[in-house]
Amino acid sequence: MSGQSLLVPGELSPTRPVPGNIRRPEYVGKPAPTPYTGGEVQTPETVEAMRLAGRIAARAMAEAAKLIAPGVTTDELDRVAHDYMCDHGAYPSTLGYRGFPKSLCTSVNEVICHGIPDSTVLRDGDIINLDVTAYIGGVHGDNNATYLVGDVDEESRLLVERTRESLDRAIKAVKPGRQINIIGRVIESYAKRFGYGVVRDFTGHGINSSFHSGLIIPHYDSPQATTVIQPGMTFTIEPMLTLGTHEYDMWDDGWTVVTKDRRRTAQFEHTLVVTDSGAEVLTLAGPRC
């Protein structure tokens, strides 16, 4: 594994403005969102709106990822994703969510999730997760992926590759009539082949008009996850695998979550809708117009 020094907080740039004509989620400017009281099964109209939100989120992430290279700051990646979403009429869902100050999460090396973009400069050999969510048409689309920065060591490269594979396997396991715990069972059994830790305290979630509906999608085999999967349900799957322990510490910023042993971690995420036969991924960039 890379012997690079551990990450430390950088300096934050000023909050990026969002054009006034772009609709804000209801939680912007509030300490917390209003609790979601709707169902987990969505109408065809809501799902269609989520396809657009998901496509914009996927394309914003792809645009930011084009810049990933040694010497680039995580704040610059935030700028690109922010501008892409705003230019396409979407609000960056993370901006102002429970006070989060930026338009995407940038989680480098030992950061499990919720890293805040700042003046941190990417180094050759790093890995970085970009987590982008777009809000448009009254709904959210949420996705993330882990990318290699320059020449990455084999252990880290395999972790990233296998984390992506764990998401793909979990998506294939989604079938109406099964319980939610099939998702975590598939991820955990695959991760155990390689001795990876599976993060337990941060999960996938229901998503629709609410960023986090209250539905929990564990990435380990949880006996409590007995909710039955139904057509029309929308949720994320976002496995977080580690080279060591699944336990974590949190920085003083209240957001940045790092592995307790400071070993590397990777994550991938898609937003899905359950179909009659399986699942459709809603966060696909699709062909350019």
Side-chain angles (χ1 to χ4, degrees), residues 133-147:
T133 310
Y135 177 80
I136 189 171
V139 297
H140 301 268
D142 186 4
N143 69 162
N144 76 54
T146 302
Y147 299 88

Side-chain angles (χ1 to χ4, degrees), residues 6-9 106-116 199 201-202 240 242 245-265:
L6 298 177
L7 203 68
V8 296
T106 50
S107 300
V108 179
N109 295 343
E110 69 270 18
V111 179
I112 295 172
C113 57
H114 305 157
I116 301 174
V199 173
D201 293 284
F202 300 90
M240 292 156 256
T242 71
T245 182
H246 68 271
E247 296 180 345
Y248 68 93
D249 293 321
M250 186 175 288
W251 283 4
D252 292 342
D253 62 22
W255 285 103
T256 306
V257 179
V258 296
T259 54
K260 186 170 283 291
D261 58 10
R262 303 303 191 266
R263 299 197 70 191
R264 289 187 169 188
T265 176

Side-chain angles (χ1 to χ4, degrees), residues 68-288:
I68 291 174
V72 174
T73 66
T74 55
D75 187 67
E76 180 66 5
L77 303 178
D78 180 79
R79 182 193 65 77
V80 172
H82 177 95
D83 288 351
Y84 186 92
M85 285 185 273
C86 292
D87 288 348
H88 291 80
Y91 186 91
S93 300
T94 61
L95 185 61
Y97 179 78
R98 296 183 181 272
F100 192 84
K102 292 295 175 180
S103 298
L104 81 164
C105 300
T106 50
S107 300
V108 179
N109 295 343
E110 69 270 18
V111 179
I112 295 172
C113 57
H114 305 157
I116 301 174
D118 58 19
S119 62
T120 296
V121 176
L122 295 178
R123 302 162 298 180
D124 187 59
D126 284 341
I127 61 174
I128 179 172
N129 179 273
L130 304 184
D131 192 339
V132 182
T133 310
Y135 177 80
I136 189 171
V139 297
H140 301 268
D142 186 4
N143 69 162
N144 76 54
T146 302
Y147 299 88
L148 310 181
V149 184
D151 185 15
V152 175
D153 66 274
E154 182 73 356
E155 185 179 42
S156 299
R157 187 188 64 77
L158 286 172
L159 173 68
V160 171
E161 179 182 302
R162 290 164 176 167
T163 305
R164 182 191 295 112
E165 175 66 17
S166 76
L167 173 60
D168 292 344
R169 289 173 179 241
I171 292 170
K172 291 176 183 176
V174 174
K175 305 286 183 185
R178 291 179 170 177
Q179 294 183 342
I180 288 292
N181 58 18
I182 186 65
I183 294 168
R185 188 177 309 140
V186 165
I187 292 168
E188 187 173 40
S189 63
Y190 180 70
K192 280 184 174 180
R193 293 189 197 178
F194 313 104
Y196 295 154
V198 181
V199 173
R200 303 169 76 90
D201 293 284
F202 300 90
T203 68
H205 52 89
I207 184 170
N208 39 67
S209 59
S210 172
F211 195 170
H212 299 86
S213 73
L215 176 66
I216 301 299
I217 311 295
H219 302 121
Y220 63 98
D221 188 4
S222 170
Q224 283 76 44
T226 57
T227 300
V228 175
I229 298 170
Q230 302 177 59
M233 291 176 73
T234 50
F235 53 81
T236 71
I237 303 176
E238 44 189 300
M240 292 156 256
L241 305 187
T242 71
L243 289 175
T245 182
H246 68 271
E247 296 180 345
Y248 68 93
D249 293 321
M250 186 175 288
W251 283 4
D252 292 342
D253 62 22
W255 285 103
T256 306
V257 179
V258 296
T259 54
K260 186 170 283 291
D261 58 10
R262 303 303 191 266
R263 299 197 70 191
R264 289 187 169 188
T265 176
Q267 181 184 16
F268 284 84
E269 173 187 23
H270 275 307
T271 295
L272 315 172
V273 60
V274 181
T275 67
D276 290 336
S277 58
E280 175 192 347
V281 175
L282 298 177
T283 39
L284 294 175
R288 298 284 175 165

